Amino acid sequence: MDSVRLDKWLWAARFFKTRGLAKKAIEGGKVHYNGARAKTSKTVELGALIRVPQGWDILEVEVVALSDQRRGAPEARALYRETEESAARREREAEARRLTNQAMQHPLKRPDKKQRRDIRRFKESGEE
């Protein structure tokens, strides 16, 4: 395999569930190819750095192999290698999210009828 479109490679590497979603992300400027926005039809080359959003994180991966066929996850994982900076940043941000969630106090139970009335009264009084 000597050339693959960017949207096809992202789909084959299982970053997106469909090629349509990959195309939408590329056109929306969410995917960066070697530090710049790219077009859907951009030809992927070995050694290229691609930044891809994955949930809360942005992965920066280096292209190791080319494929235009979607295979199993272990085979798809062999198409790229995540950079060390990206992995470290992802771990830091995950830890920060975990600590933030721990710091937030969640109510032990849902408000009862009286508390809901009080909440509604409070909200209505603040809109004036």
Side-chain angles (χ1 to χ4, degrees), residues 13-103:
R14 293 183 165 262
F15 286 108
F16 296 97
K17 196 168 189 173
T18 65
R19 278 185 59 198
L21 290 175
K23 179 181 183 228
K24 205 177 283 185
I26 295 167
E27 289 173 349
K30 307 240 186 297
V31 176
H32 290 246
Y33 185 85
N34 284 336
R37 287 178 63 169
K39 291 189 175 182
T40 309
S41 60
K42 174 76 176 159
T43 303
V44 178
E45 301 164 344
L46 294 177
L49 288 177
I50 300 176
R51 292 186 62 181
V52 183
Q54 288 288 289
W56 294 100
D57 301 316
I58 297 178
L59 297 179
E60 188 170 301
V61 297
E62 179 184 352
V63 177
V64 176
L66 300 177
S67 176
D68 64 350
Q69 293 181 337
R70 191 171 170 101
R71 307 265 174 149
E75 293 175 40
R77 185 90 171 106
L79 297 178
Y80 61 90
R81 181 181 58 82
E82 185 177 9
T83 62
E84 284 114 27
E85 302 88 37
S86 173
R89 182 178 59 242
R90 193 166 43 84
E91 292 297 322
R92 273 195 320 271
E93 291 172 358
E95 182 67 17
R97 281 194 303 271
R98 188 183 65 77
L99 292 174
T100 301
N101 286 338
Q102 280 183 350

Side-chain angles (χ1 to χ4, degrees), residues 107-120:
L108 299 175
K109 61 179 184 167
R110 293 178 58 178
D112 60 20
K113 191 169 186 175
K114 182 183 181 318
Q115 291 169 334
R116 286 195 307 269
R117 286 181 185 149
D118 291 342
I119 291 169
R120 195 176 315 115

